[in-house]
Amino acid sequence: MTAPQPLTNRIQKPTPNAASPSARPQIKPTQSRPAQTPAVLQDMLCTWVPGTTSIVRLKISAEPGRERTLEVTSTHLGRIFGKEVVHDLYLKGRSKVMVTDQQLALLT
């Protein structure tokens, strides 16, 4: 338990209202925001490598007929995609995830 702090004679400044014009950032009409390209999603099927307890095989399909296969540890997979993917692997033996190019770059 902490002792109550003494009151100070400090004057508190009012916080700017979000609706006031001075609180909003000023964007000049000549400034343009960079266009964000939509992330390309790819299917990734995760299954255990037979005979192992921590190695996961990833089958990544970018286009029909074109497939890439990677093998990573379950720990590495969980750090990138979250624990839900690893839980599905333990419970069902497989997991299917939609991944972006940025996430794929983290795998390799």
Side-chain angles (χ1 to χ4, degrees):
M1 182 179 227
T2 60
Q5 298 296 321
L7 296 175
T8 61
N9 292 334
R10 235 179 15 172
I11 299 173
Q12 293 183 350
K13 296 179 183 177
T15 57
N17 187 357
S20 70
S22 62
R24 283 183 259 146
Q26 298 295 321
I27 298 177
K28 297 177 185 175
T30 57
Q31 288 179 332
S32 63
R33 294 184 181 181
Q36 293 182 357
T37 58
V40 178
L41 296 176
Q42 301 172 9
D43 285 330
M44 182 174 73
L45 179 66
C46 309
T47 56
W48 293 109
V49 173
T52 66
T53 58
S54 64
I55 306 296
V56 180
R57 182 172 291 144
L58 310 173
K59 292 184 180 178
I60 304 154
S61 58
E63 302 168 353
R66 190 167 169 246
E67 189 173 86
R68 227 169 93 184
T69 303
L70 297 171
E71 291 183 0
V72 297
T73 64
S74 58
T75 305
H76 188 64
L77 183 71
R79 286 181 181 156
I80 296 172
F81 297 102
K83 63 183 179 182
E84 294 82 18
V85 174
V86 180
H87 282 282
D88 284 348
L89 272 172
Y90 281 115
L91 295 175
K92 301 176 191 174
R94 68 178 58 219
S95 180
K96 190 172 184 179
V97 184
M98 297 296 287
V99 297
T100 63
D101 290 333
Q102 183 181 12
Q103 290 171 323
L104 284 177
L106 292 173
L107 286 172
T108 55

